[in-house]
Amino acid sequence: MKLRLRWLIPLAALPVVGLLAYGFRTDPRAVPSPLVGRPAPAFTLTTFDGKPVSLESQRGKVVVLNFWASWCYPACYEEAPALEAGWRQFQSKDVVVLGVAIQDKEPASLNFIQRFGLTFPNAPDPAGKVSIDYGVYGVPETFVIDRKGVIRQKHVGGVTDTVFRESVEPLLAEKASTGGA
Amino acid sequence: MGFVALAVVAGVHRTAFAATVSDEDVQAIASQLRCVVCQNLSVADSPSEMAHQMRALIRERLAAGDRPAEVMTYFVQRYGDWVLLAPPARGLNLVLWLAPFGAVVGGLVLVLTLVRRWRQAPIAPSPATAPVVGAAERERLAAELERLRD
């Protein structure tokens, strides 16, 4: 009886230790998005220069939808040049980079756009509807949407050229129509 | 004519209903949702702009005629079960819900087992460990008793 009890205590502690070991290795901020693999929610926004931009109008192209804010330092500041470079490189290859400024003041957003010389369309999301529709919980977050309008990847944190190479470029080979050739 | 009047009344009624989404109704849903930009705060309690926008969205959806459960589903579809402050009792989450009851039952079993074992054990100390009262102690005890009697 005594022998059994002596083993029982470390044995009971084992699953707890295992759970803690697992828990401390995972990033509590990384939340898997249930939207990956689903059709991207539709939206229409007005860019800072007054042009309407909708997801529907980009159908057939690979869309890099980036949520950012001017107060998001340093991640958004680090990724802005990479986004602009990706846009310039892939613009002619059916890739659209779309920026959505969330929870931001317009003058600050415009400053940010000017500072990095961003030439891809950028729009504010005044009521936060688009960002909530995409399950955004922080900035920067970036969604890669394929030619059929399906969210293929959600990237949390700053975008680098690796994202364009590994997540965007492979999607260009896919056909836009579901029927195929 | 009567039909038109009814339709108008119904229309008016609908807008009237939409306008009367109470703060309590919004709070009831918001308090069950995790503020996505905070640590351990509900959407109802958070002063963040995101939570503010979410409360506005809850109000808007209720006003549009969504039931509270549908509003919750809207958020779960976008943020996953993670957005719920009370995780749904299914799958691996059942461990969370059942573990406290398991701990209580386990504790009761442990206490009962120990109590039973203590009962079975002899109450009187075994002769081997009983303190031996020596002649000196006996003498002193007699002296103390004698003094008490006086």
Side-chain angles (χ1 to χ4, degrees), chain A residues 1 5 28-29 31-35 38 41 102-105 125-129 131-138, chain B residues 36-39 48-51 53-57 60-61 74-82 110 113-114 117:
Chain A
M1 188 68 194
L5 264 178
R29 287 164 202 276
V31 184
S33 173
L35 291 170
R38 299 246 179 98
I102 68 171
Q103 299 163 41
D104 213 352
K105 302 256 190 308
D125 182 22
K129 270 192 194 155
S131 48
I132 295 172
D133 229 10
Y134 275 82
V136 169
Y137 57 89
Chain B
V36 298
V37 294
C38 322
Q39 301 277 344
S48 74
E49 192 173 340
M50 190 108 187
Q53 291 174 340
M54 282 183 163
R55 288 194 295 269
L57 197 68
E60 196 178 293
R61 295 200 79 87
Y74 170 87
F75 284 100
V76 170
Q77 277 169 354
R78 278 146 189 86
Y79 289 96
D81 285 343
W82 176 84
L110 186 73
T113 315
L114 286 178
R117 198 179 298 169

Side-chain angles (χ1 to χ4, degrees), chain B:
Chain B
M1 188 64 193
F3 178 75
V4 171
L6 194 72
V8 168
V9 169
V12 167
H13 178 74
R14 196 181 158 79
T15 21
F17 174 76
T20 55
V21 174
S22 70
D23 288 348
E24 285 79 19
D25 291 344
V26 175
Q27 290 295 96
I29 294 171
S31 62
Q32 293 174 68
L33 295 173
R34 184 199 296 260
C35 162
V36 298
V37 294
C38 322
Q39 301 277 344
N40 304 324
L41 266 184
S42 76
V43 169
D45 299 326
S46 167
S48 74
E49 192 173 340
M50 190 108 187
H52 179 76
Q53 291 174 340
M54 282 183 163
R55 288 194 295 269
L57 197 68
I58 293 169
R59 185 180 295 276
E60 196 178 293
R61 295 200 79 87
L62 287 175
D66 273 13
R67 280 173 295 143
E70 289 170 329
V71 179
M72 298 284 283
T73 308
Y74 170 87
F75 284 100
V76 170
Q77 277 169 354
R78 278 146 189 86
Y79 289 96
D81 285 343
W82 176 84
V83 80
L84 299 172
L85 283 175
R90 60 177 137 79
L92 202 62
N93 286 347
L94 278 173
V95 175
L96 281 175
W97 287 96
L98 298 180
F101 298 104
V104 168
V105 171
L108 279 176
V109 168
L110 186 73
V111 167
L112 286 177
T113 315
L114 286 178
V115 165
R116 189 172 299 168
R117 198 179 298 169
W118 290 334
R119 276 228 189 117
Q120 282 168 355
I123 294 166
S126 64
T129 53
V132 181
V133 181
E137 279 93 355
R138 214 166 281 169
E139 222 165 77
R140 188 178 161 195
L141 187 65
E144 298 274 347
L145 284 171
E146 193 65 33
R147 209 183 305 155
L148 268 177
R149 226 169 271 149
D150 295 338

Side-chain angles (χ1 to χ4, degrees), chain A residues 5-44:
Chain A
L5 264 178
R6 193 181 299 163
W7 283 104
L8 210 63
I9 294 165
L11 219 62
L14 213 63
V16 178
V17 172
L19 192 71
L20 287 176
Y22 169 76
F24 280 118
R25 274 158 198 267
T26 56
D27 180 2
R29 287 164 202 276
V31 184
S33 173
L35 291 170
V36 175
R38 299 246 179 98
F43 62 84
T44 305

Side-chain angles (χ1 to χ4, degrees), chain A residues 2 16 19-20 35 37 40 50 58-59 76 78-79 83 87 91 95 99 107 110-111 116 134 148 151 157 159 169:
Chain A
K2 258 197 184 133
V16 178
L19 192 71
L20 287 176
L35 291 170
Q58 311 298 336
R59 191 56 51 85
C76 292
E78 284 165 4
E79 69 166 3
L83 282 168
W87 160 247
Q91 190 179 2
V95 174
L110 288 171
N111 249 340
F116 291 102
Y134 275 82
K148 290 173 207 154
I151 296 177
V159 168
E169 225 174 345

